[in-house]
Amino acid sequence: MKQYYRIGIDLGGTKTEAIVLDPDDREICRKRIPTPRMGMSATCPYEAILYSVHQLILEMTALIPSGKPHTLGIGIPGMIDAETQTVHNANTTCLIGRPFQSDLEKLIGRPVRMENDANCFTLAESLQGAGRGYGLVFGIIMGTGCGGGICIDGKIRQGKHGIAGEWGHFSADPQGAECYCGNRGCVETLISGSGVESAFFRKYGKKLEMQEILRGYREGMPEMAEVFEQFLENFGRCLGGLISILDPDAVVIGGGLSNIEELYTLGIERVRHYAFHRHIKTPILKNRLGDSAGVFGAAWVGIGNSIS
């Protein structure tokens, strides 16, 4: 059986990370760079992102011993539509409608396995993180946006349309704030960092970052406390409902908001209130691999797509 080196690229909204793993999953190199965005480059953000990822691939490939087979996986903040082969449902909106996978494959002359970033996160945490040893793991990314993924016995469940686990765009409040996807009151508008910040602005006309709202809540400031309490309530209702439907063996939370300790105390209390069971025992866990889970997952999703 061949032993493959693995290259993983995690394309995020603010950072892009690359990794090279040897056949024993030992880290050879890891590198982070800012993700190009409007104002950083004279070129179109899409073209700049394409170039940036291409250069990282070339750099990582050069670190693999000559003649050794390797795989290549890339996590993106969206999905590749099976029919059009273009990106959709991406919160990095300049990717939407673009043939990112085929454009990249043309540049490097090799096949690329692309996967949703939340799926990469969930796979990594299932194999080597907080979800290890559990059969059905639901992974949540709570950061600027909100995504989800399902991993069953160490394998990503994509679903018929490739959207399995995409709870961030379930409309939990039809009268709520408009989401970029076109619906109102999506989970993402309720429990993402940007969603909570927007809720505070709508209510009080002030722009505060999530960390400022959290700090004000902890200091007992009424305005911040009201918005943060609603955030915890929304978290409980959304995740409680999801557990009622999926009944996973474990839930693992990632993204910047996963560091909010109240989620694992007050948040879990709300989840138990909304889930359709009197004694919910579902482990709701903080990730173990940190914000690098996605790049490990990207490296592992490339397995089966070898390049000699």
Side-chain angles (χ1 to χ4, degrees):
M1 181 177 178
K2 281 189 176 181
Q3 295 292 300
Y4 296 105
Y5 285 76
R6 297 163 191 167
I7 297 175
I9 307 286
D10 180 27
L11 173 62
T14 58
K15 68 171 178 65
T16 302
E17 188 168 9
I19 197 169
V20 180
L21 301 176
D22 75 6
D24 296 314
D25 283 336
R26 290 177 299 211
E27 185 179 316
I28 294 175
C29 175
R30 196 183 333 173
K31 181 177 181 178
R32 284 186 180 183
I33 60 172
T35 299
R37 59 185 186 274
M38 191 70 76
M40 291 179 61
S41 171
T43 61
C44 164
Y46 174 76
E47 300 296 338
I49 288 172
L50 188 64
Y51 174 82
S52 176
V53 172
H54 180 210
Q55 293 304 304
L56 275 176
I57 291 171
L58 294 178
E59 189 174 337
M60 297 300 108
T61 302
L63 299 173
I64 295 173
S66 179
K68 296 293 184 180
H70 65 278
T71 63
L72 175 58
I74 300 179
I76 64 169
M79 286 159 282
I80 303 295
D81 185 274
E83 294 182 2
T84 66
Q85 295 300 306
T86 59
V87 178
H88 68 121
N89 292 357
N91 55 23
T92 300
T93 54
C94 72
L95 296 176
I96 294 175
R98 308 300 288 267
F100 186 55
Q101 182 172 2
S102 60
D103 282 350
L104 192 57
E105 288 176 339
K106 288 174 186 175
L107 282 175
I108 64 177
R110 298 172 174 178
V112 174
R113 170 78 183 275
M114 282 196 179
E115 186 57 79
N116 174 259
D117 56 358
N119 288 346
C120 290
F121 163 79
T122 306
L123 177 65
E125 288 292 334
S126 295
L127 294 178
Q128 296 292 338
R132 187 173 184 177
Y134 293 98
L136 197 166
V137 177
F138 188 80
I140 298 171
I141 294 181
M142 291 172 61
T144 304
C146 183
I150 300 171
C151 205
I152 303 174
D153 296 331
K155 295 181 180 179
I156 294 169
R157 173 62 180 169
Q158 294 178 318
K160 182 177 178 63
H161 301 94
I163 58 172
E166 278 298 328
W167 79 317
H169 293 282
F170 170 77
S171 179
D173 179 8
Q175 305 305 315
E178 186 174 355
C179 180
Y180 77 86
C181 75
N183 288 325
R184 286 189 172 274
C186 288
V187 169
E188 182 166 303
T189 69
L190 299 174
I191 64 171
S192 69
S194 61
V196 177
E197 291 164 5
S198 295
F200 189 88
F201 179 76
R202 288 194 303 273
K203 193 169 185 65
Y204 295 110
K206 305 176 195 174
K207 290 188 176 181
L208 290 183
E209 293 185 355
M210 185 66 186
Q211 287 302 316
E212 295 175 288
I213 295 170
L214 174 60
R215 185 166 58 249
Y217 162 78
R218 289 173 175 170
E219 293 173 356
M221 300 177 71
E223 292 180 350
M224 287 75 155
E226 183 177 357
V227 170
F228 190 80
E229 285 285 352
Q230 186 61 56
F231 161 69
L232 290 174
E233 190 74 4
N234 290 335
F235 172 79
R237 185 172 67 253
C238 293
L239 185 51
L242 183 140
I243 288 174
S244 298
I245 296 169
L246 192 60
D247 200 7
D249 296 312
V251 173
V252 182
I253 305 177
L257 272 61
S258 69
N259 295 315
I260 297 175
E261 293 303 322
E262 286 84 352
L263 287 178
Y264 307 97
T265 54
L266 300 174
I268 289 178
E269 288 179 12
R270 268 102 168 157
V271 170
R272 289 175 177 153
H273 174 76
Y274 283 104
F276 186 59
H277 194 280
R278 292 182 181 179
H279 306 291
I280 285 295
K281 298 179 181 178
T282 310
I284 300 174
L285 309 168
K286 184 178 179 180
N287 66 85
R288 288 184 187 166
L289 299 177
D291 62 357
S292 287
V295 78
F296 281 97
W300 290 326
V301 298
I303 297 171
N305 192 21
S306 61
I307 304 165
S308 298

